[in-house]
Amino acid sequence: MDKKGNIRKRMQITSRKTDKIVVKGILWILGIFVGLLILIAMIGEISDRIGKTSLRPYKESFDAYLEKYQETVKNNSIGQYEDESDENAWDHYSSVSFVEFASSKSIILADYNKTELSEDVISEIKKYSGLEESILKGAKCKYCHIPYNFKDQENTIFPNLVALKKATKYMSVLAKYYLNNGKNEKALEVLKAGFILSADIPKGFPTLISEMIKTACDSILLSAVEYGISKDYFRGAELQEVSKMLRSEHENNIAETVYFEQLQMLYVVGNTSYMELIGAMSMREREDRGTKKFLRLMYEYFYSRILFIKTGFSPFMSLANGYEPITELYEKIINAKWNDIYTEQSKYEKEILKSKIWQIIYPGIGYVYLKFLATDQRMKLVDIAAQLKKYKDEKGEYPRDLNILGLDPEILLDNMSGAPIVYEIQKAGKIKLGIDIEKATIPDRSPYKKALKYFEPIILD
């Protein structure tokens, strides 16, 4: 064999040895990779069980809360009517007239917040008389219960609460229309029913979304009340009626609603299998089949496990880790002023957000608290404004200070800092009523900036 042949043979032998080494190396790396995946899956499954066990006490708290809620359902409306009917208000609030108006392109939905009513809006009002009738009937019911199975959400239909929010826009416009035409009694009846509807929503469906819808409804209806007061439409005893309808909900506790919402989420997630959970976390629907579907599921399974590496590759453990500080936070902010709520949240936020899953859920909760308290604060200010107008009607001038009105001391403290309501007698006998915004801790960022409109002072002539 010549020299070139020997070289070629040695190269082939060397190449085969190299190939074997490469193959062994690849198999070794693949084995380690598969072993790691198996280890992640084993640790993850064990952590899932530990996490679900840790969640059990909070699931029991949810059961207790739900049982307590069920006991209050049968007589949970405000009860401002002597001739209340023993009916479920939701039967009226979910009527066809609500659905038709909510799905319409009525100009009322676009122009409800305008001070002056155009001819187009006035003509639209008359199209939806059935809506007014349904709201008035619902307000006279003893209770509101929105049928929904909190423990089996997949088999129940989520209530159309947005339709109720849109309905209050109609009520706000209708009240202005009645006031403009000298029908104060009708305007008061409409506003009273509107505020009862708003209060019924979270009582009939105790969740964070219903409380947020209630906040929006109150804000919409308040614009009509402020309109009536600023235009001097309401006089004497009518102002007392205005005060009464606004004062019925000051005792609400938003902290309890938020905590219940978190317990409810825990209940649903805690009863979900891991594969169902990662399916819910997936951002888009897919129609993969066969091998492609299997590979996609494996990718999502391990990808989601690795996301929760700090909690033993388990989202359930991540969820459980956040509940202890959240429960402590809840206990500290029950019925608290905003400044105290914000301070406590800042203390606990870092600990809560250590859990990956709470990084998705938690942001925005602070703004929910602020918006609720700000709207409730606005109701208190309008309530005081009505009492001041009534005092002036009777005495001929505004009082020297608010204490003369004999109101509950709590109403005279703002919801933000706990400081006294600002009351100033200005030139020409005008009154400025509001809060000291400098004492309120409001972050200088979105979405908190949007809430500043709630703190504009009320000026009375």
Side-chain angles (χ1 to χ4, degrees):
M1 184 179 292
D2 58 17
K3 189 175 181 180
K4 286 184 179 180
N6 287 331
I7 293 172
R8 191 180 297 113
K9 188 174 181 180
R10 283 198 300 271
M11 287 178 65
Q12 288 173 348
I13 293 170
T14 302
S15 178
R16 282 197 294 271
K17 286 181 178 179
T18 303
D19 289 345
K20 286 181 179 179
I21 293 170
V22 169
V23 170
K24 284 182 179 179
I26 292 172
L27 291 174
W28 183 75
I29 293 170
L30 188 60
I32 291 175
F33 179 71
V34 171
L36 282 174
L37 292 181
I38 292 171
L39 185 62
I40 288 171
M42 289 175 63
I43 295 172
E45 294 294 336
I46 293 169
S47 298
D48 284 350
R49 293 190 180 190
I50 296 171
K52 287 193 173 188
T53 301
S54 301
L55 291 173
R56 195 171 294 149
Y58 302 106
K59 290 169 68 176
E60 291 170 358
S61 297
F62 174 79
D63 283 331
Y65 191 108
L66 199 57
E67 185 177 337
K68 176 184 170 185
Y69 158 68
Q70 294 291 352
E71 289 174 356
T72 65
V73 164
K74 199 56 185 172
N75 193 23
N76 66 3
S77 198
I78 292 179
Q80 291 193 25
Y81 293 92
E82 292 181 3
D83 56 339
E84 285 186 319
S85 62
D86 191 16
E87 296 181 78
N88 184 2
W90 181 250
D91 293 339
H92 299 287
Y93 297 155
S94 58
S95 67
V96 174
S97 55
F98 274 78
V99 177
E100 286 179 348
F101 179 72
S103 60
S104 73
K105 297 186 182 298
S106 173
I107 192 174
I108 293 171
L109 294 171
D111 291 359
Y112 76 92
N113 58 348
K114 290 187 177 179
T115 305
E116 302 301 326
L117 304 182
S118 67
E119 290 299 321
D120 289 339
V121 168
I122 292 171
S123 65
E124 280 285 288
I125 288 173
K126 298 170 182 177
K127 292 182 182 179
Y128 301 102
S129 57
L131 183 58
E132 178 186 2
E133 184 181 355
S134 293
I135 294 174
L136 292 175
K137 285 182 178 179
K140 290 185 177 182
C141 294
K142 284 185 178 179
Y143 68 99
C144 180
H145 176 55
I146 300 176
Y148 188 81
N149 189 340
F150 289 91
K151 295 185 179 181
D152 186 14
Q153 299 184 9
E154 290 185 1
N155 296 320
T156 54
I157 299 173
F158 196 85
N160 185 8
L161 301 181
V162 176
L164 274 64
K165 175 185 172 183
K166 291 182 177 181
T168 56
K169 293 180 179 180
Y170 172 81
M171 301 301 276
S172 179
V173 170
L174 186 60
K176 291 177 186 176
Y177 172 75
Y178 283 142
L179 289 171
N180 290 344
N181 288 276
K183 298 179 179 180
N184 287 21
E185 188 176 343
K186 293 283 288 181
L188 284 168
E189 184 181 33
V190 162
L191 289 170
K192 179 179 177 180
F195 281 114
I196 290 174
L197 178 152
S198 178
D200 278 347
I201 299 171
K203 288 181 177 179
F205 188 65
T207 63
L208 189 56
I209 185 66
S210 59
E211 200 67 64
M212 291 167 68
I213 294 289
K214 177 197 180 301
T215 297
C217 291
D218 284 342
S219 180
I220 292 164
L221 294 165
L222 269 174
S223 66
V225 177
E226 290 194 54
Y227 172 82
I229 291 175
S230 66
K231 293 275 190 179
D232 281 331
Y233 281 126
F234 299 125
R235 313 296 301 191
E238 293 173 349
L239 289 163
Q240 190 63 40
E241 283 296 309
V242 169
S243 180
K244 183 180 177 182
M245 72 174 69
L246 295 177
R247 203 173 297 175
S248 59
E249 289 299 303
H250 290 331
E251 72 280 2
N252 263 20
N253 175 21
I254 185 65
E256 188 171 10
T257 303
V258 173
Y259 186 59
F260 173 71
E261 182 81 7
Q262 291 166 344
L263 288 177
Q264 179 192 337
M265 179 198 66
L266 148 91
Y267 196 99
V268 174
V269 174
N271 288 313
T272 303
S273 70
Y274 186 78
M275 293 306 291
E276 287 174 331
L277 184 62
I278 64 171
M281 291 168 62
S282 181
M283 297 302 291
R284 54 183 176 173
E285 293 289 332
R286 297 180 179 87
E287 295 183 357
D288 298 341
R289 295 287 184 271
T291 304
K292 189 175 181 181
K293 181 178 181 179
F294 173 77
L295 292 174
R296 189 257 300 174
L297 286 173
M298 287 300 98
Y299 167 77
E300 290 189 352
Y301 177 89
F302 287 105
Y303 175 77
S304 55
R305 285 286 188 206
I306 293 168
L307 277 179
F308 297 99
I309 187 172
K310 291 183 179 179
T311 51
F313 305 104
S314 171
F316 299 105
M317 185 73 83
S318 179
L319 189 67
N321 285 351
Y323 267 96
E324 185 174 349
I326 281 173
T327 302
E328 287 182 19
L329 174 61
Y330 159 67
E331 294 292 342
K332 290 188 176 182
I333 63 176
I334 295 175
N335 296 320
K337 304 298 180 186
W338 164 253
N339 282 6
D340 295 330
I341 289 175
Y342 188 73
T343 300
E344 292 298 335
Q345 276 203 153
S346 300
K347 291 178 184 175
Y348 281 90
E349 194 169 72
K350 187 175 181 181
E351 186 178 355
I352 292 169
L353 295 184
K354 286 179 182 177
S355 301
K356 187 77 177 178
I357 202 163
W358 286 105
Q359 292 175 20
I360 302 168
I361 299 165
Y362 194 76
I365 293 296
Y367 180 63
V368 172
Y369 283 113
L370 176 64
K371 193 170 181 182
F372 170 84
L373 292 170
T375 305
D376 188 61
Q377 178 61 63
R378 195 69 185 177
M379 290 181 78
K380 285 165 63 171
L381 287 178
V382 178
D383 176 1
I384 296 169
Q387 292 296 308
L388 287 168
K389 279 283 188 180
K390 183 174 181 292
Y391 185 94
K392 186 182 180 184
D393 278 353
E394 294 171 352
K395 309 290 185 181
E397 61 181 2
Y398 289 114
R400 295 187 307 277
D401 61 69
L402 291 178
N403 290 324
I404 294 174
L405 296 177
L407 299 175
D408 184 336
E410 181 64 24
I411 292 178
L412 301 181
L413 300 177
D414 79 68
N415 288 347
M416 304 298 115
S417 65
I421 296 292
V422 174
Y423 177 70
E424 296 178 2
I425 300 176
Q426 301 180 319
K427 292 180 180 179
K430 287 188 176 183
I431 293 296
K432 180 182 178 182
L433 186 67
I435 73 165
D436 188 346
I437 193 67
E438 296 299 322
K439 292 182 179 178
T441 306
I442 302 177
D444 187 24
R445 64 178 186 270
S446 294
Y448 292 93
K449 286 182 179 180
K450 295 178 183 178
L452 291 176
K453 66 180 181 180
Y454 291 96
F455 308 121
E456 292 177 3
I458 296 175
I459 306 297
L460 299 176
D461 291 323

